[in-house]
Amino acid sequence: MLCVMMTASMAAQNQDLELSAEVEVLIDAMTSDDAEELEVAGARMMKNGEETGRCAPYAAGVYTLSRVALSQGDFERTRSLLQDRTDCLRGLPRLEFQRAVLAFSEGRYEEAREIWRAVASDPTNEEQGVKAIENMGACWQREEQLDSAQSYYEKALSLQGEQINLMTVNNIVSILNDKSRYAEVRPFFEVGMSIEITDSTALDMLYWNLLVSEVMQGNEEASLEVMREREEKGFVGVPDYAIDAYWRYLLLQDDYDAFIAHRAEFSAGQLAEMLKTAPTFMSDLFDDGRRSEVGRLPLSVKWVIARRGLELAQLIESADAES
């Protein structure tokens, strides 16, 4: 009896592996990143699965449509897709990964971490497993558990071998910056620059992370060189995540005209949102003159306040690090 049960269990496991492998083949065959094309392809595969009674095309279609829905921030649609036909979808690594992404997007970090832990333990897809480990680090980072986050990021990096993901390097250096370990950033930058780079967004982010480390160390010439090199790579403009870093850079370079010019590009509402994450000493510089005595001072005086504020912040950080 036991032998029969074990044989049945092994047969079921083999079926699951075959299904998972077939789903992977169908997903990998879709090379487009265009949302409209993915929408059509996903719907077609789901329909094929329904008409033929086969789980693989149905599951691949659900994955594709949930990917589009997540990219558009449509969490309700994502949830509806992933909850349908659990007989076909439950346990498939790709679909479990999407459930974790949904949980992460909604701030349910512990739940996301547990799902990704299960995905990472599945030996059938090592690439997804490494991504799951890195995403567990992202959960810890969102919960401000920086040591745990760094540990998972570095584990993911070690498992990537020669196929280093530049975004993983970015995740590590962002943690180092958050922990005020600025001097440790450049070696990771050099690692990132030593690999073949295909992700221009990740490369630009790496330059901004390096810029933060140099600015916070007060390295004026080095920070200027970072910006020069970034521009030589063809990067222009300042992405939303880098606005604070850019303004700090302009303050360090005493580039008052550029600071004011860039500030003028934003509406009062946008500046108010940015202030939620801006350093306290920057607040008075952004003040439009209605809220504080400092806000009504001449711009030249505000400039001095901001400049001295940055220096004071660096001195405080230095004193904290030594104590």
Side-chain angles (χ1 to χ4, degrees):
M1 182 66 176
L2 179 59
C3 182
V4 173
M5 292 175 62
M6 291 179 62
T7 301
S9 176
M10 291 178 63
Q13 289 179 4
N14 288 334
Q15 287 180 343
D16 289 343
L17 290 175
E18 291 173 3
L19 173 60
S20 180
E22 188 176 354
V23 171
E24 291 295 320
V25 170
L26 290 171
I27 291 173
D28 290 341
M30 291 181 293
T31 57
S32 175
D33 286 324
D34 182 78
E36 292 184 5
E37 292 181 13
L38 290 173
E39 191 79 35
V40 172
R44 184 173 61 246
M45 285 189 291
M46 283 185 68
K47 183 178 180 180
N48 178 270
E50 290 172 340
E51 292 176 346
T52 62
R54 296 172 58 232
C55 278
Y58 187 87
V62 168
Y63 169 83
T64 303
L65 294 182
S66 66
R67 177 183 164 192
V68 174
L70 282 168
S71 70
Q72 297 172 343
D74 191 343
F75 301 148
E76 285 301 320
R77 185 188 182 203
T78 304
R79 186 177 298 103
S80 176
L81 286 163
L82 296 175
Q83 288 176 346
D84 191 24
R85 290 290 303 277
T86 55
D87 57 315
C88 275
L89 308 183
R90 184 62 60 183
L92 289 172
R94 284 277 192 167
L95 277 300
E96 290 302 296
F97 198 98
Q98 293 300 83
R99 287 192 177 88
V101 173
L102 176 62
F104 180 87
S105 300
E106 295 182 325
R108 294 179 281 119
Y109 303 122
E110 183 175 355
E111 180 182 341
R113 196 160 46 237
E114 290 305 310
I115 298 173
W116 272 320
R117 182 172 287 111
V119 172
S121 66
D122 187 334
T124 61
N125 193 323
E126 292 185 7
E127 183 180 352
Q128 286 287 299
V130 173
K131 289 180 180 177
I133 290 171
E134 182 168 3
N135 288 346
M136 290 164 68
C139 291
W140 287 117
Q141 186 171 8
R142 288 292 181 89
E143 295 177 322
E144 299 184 358
Q145 301 297 316
L146 301 184
D147 289 338
S148 295
Q150 184 176 351
S151 175
Y152 277 90
Y153 289 150
E154 291 181 350
K155 182 178 181 181
L157 184 65
S158 70
L159 293 172
Q160 290 170 4
E162 296 182 357
Q163 303 299 315
I164 294 176
N165 186 327
L166 194 57
M167 196 58 75
T168 309
V169 178
N170 269 310
N171 286 333
I172 293 172
V173 297
S174 71
I175 290 290
L176 294 174
N177 279 334
D178 286 345
K179 295 167 75 172
S180 300
R181 291 165 55 179
Y182 307 117
E184 299 176 42
V185 168
R186 185 168 282 277
F188 280 98
F189 175 83
E190 299 298 340
V191 169
M193 296 302 291
S194 70
I195 65 177
E196 182 179 357
I197 297 171
T198 58
D199 186 345
S200 60
T201 300
L203 177 59
D204 193 24
M205 188 175 292
L206 188 62
Y207 275 112
W208 285 112
N209 275 317
L210 179 62
L211 181 69
V212 169
S213 70
E214 297 294 0
V215 167
M216 294 309 296
Q217 293 178 89
N219 297 333
E220 295 183 37
E221 188 56 40
S223 64
L224 185 61
E225 186 59 34
V226 171
M227 290 299 281
R228 285 173 180 160
E229 186 175 331
R230 175 182 177 268
E231 291 171 1
E232 289 174 359
K233 294 290 184 180
F235 295 115
V236 296
V238 182
D240 289 345
Y241 64 80
I243 289 172
D244 184 49
Y246 181 61
W247 282 344
R248 284 173 178 264
Y249 162 75
L250 294 178
L251 289 172
L252 182 65
Q253 296 295 331
D254 286 330
D255 195 343
Y256 173 72
D257 292 337
F259 182 92
I260 296 301
H262 191 263
R263 175 188 179 278
E265 295 175 9
F266 298 92
S267 68
Q270 288 173 312
L271 287 170
E273 285 298 311
M274 294 171 193
L275 277 174
K276 293 179 181 178
T277 57
T280 302
F281 70 83
M282 299 282 275
S283 299
D284 287 325
L285 189 69
F286 300 143
D287 197 306
D288 60 8
R290 293 194 298 265
R291 293 173 298 182
S292 71
E293 290 298 322
V294 175
R296 288 187 283 274
L297 292 172
L299 287 177
S300 57
V301 178
K302 289 184 183 181
W303 169 249
V304 174
I305 292 173
R307 187 75 174 83
R308 295 296 174 262
L310 179 57
E311 292 173 353
L312 179 60
Q314 291 170 339
L315 287 172
I316 292 173
E317 284 181 346
S318 176
D320 289 343
E322 294 175 359
S323 62

